[in-house]
Amino acid sequence: MDDGIRVLAGQRVFVCPEDGPRLDGEAAALDLMGRLWGLDADWVAVPTTLLGEDFLHLRTGVLGGVVQKFVNYRLRLAVMGDITEAVAASDALGDFVREANASGHVWFVADLAELEQRLARGGGG
C-alpha cells in the first residue's frame, strides 16, 4: 500500500494526493495530521489545488491558523504550486511567503523538484 511518503534529500515527505481532502482550515490541518500518525513524516507537501478558497487571503486567518497547527505539532509544511497571482495581489502575502521561505518550517515551492533541491541544500532539517 502506498502511504504517500517519499524520501527527498533524506527527509520523509508526505505528498498529499491531488484528489485528497482540501486544506481549508485548522480542523482540516488536524485531520491531515491525524492521517499521518505513525508515518514519521518530516514534511507535508500540499498542492495548491487542495487549498481552500480563502487560504491565501491573510485577512481570513486561515493560512496563519493552519501554519500554527503545523508548527505546534512539529511538522513542516510545503505548499506546492504557482501562487504568483495571489502574491501579486497582496503585499502582505508576499511578505509572508518571503519570511516563510526563509524559515525551516513552512515553504512555498513550485513543485517537488524545488522542494527536494531546497532540502538537499540543508534546509528544513
Side-chain angles (χ1 to χ4, degrees):
M1 181 173 120
D2 181 12
D3 59 12
I5 294 286
R6 298 193 43 193
V7 178
L8 303 176
Q11 298 280 315
R12 291 177 56 82
V13 179
F14 176 81
V15 180
C16 294
E18 291 281 341
D19 61 349
R22 294 184 70 72
L23 184 58
D24 57 6
E26 294 177 47
L30 290 172
D31 288 346
L32 174 56
M33 290 177 208
R35 288 192 305 276
L36 298 176
W37 191 258
L39 296 180
D40 294 323
D42 301 306
W43 283 85
V44 178
V46 179
T48 55
T49 55
L50 296 181
L51 301 181
E53 185 176 316
D54 292 332
F55 192 89
L56 295 174
H57 299 132
L58 292 182
R59 73 184 182 296
T60 66
V62 174
L63 176 57
V66 167
V67 165
Q68 190 61 54
K69 291 295 179 204
F70 275 87
V71 169
N72 288 349
Y73 287 90
R74 293 183 172 91
L75 266 173
R76 293 175 178 97
L77 173 65
V79 177
M80 296 185 311
D82 183 8
I83 61 167
T84 54
E85 191 173 304
V87 168
S90 170
D91 290 340
L93 178 61
D95 292 342
F96 184 95
V97 169
R98 276 187 294 285
E99 288 179 27
N101 280 340
S103 80
H105 297 286
V106 179
W107 289 344
F108 293 83
V109 296
D111 51 30
L112 276 178
E114 182 181 349
L115 176 58
E116 186 168 29
Q117 289 171 354
R118 290 197 64 186
L119 290 170
R121 290 193 304 257

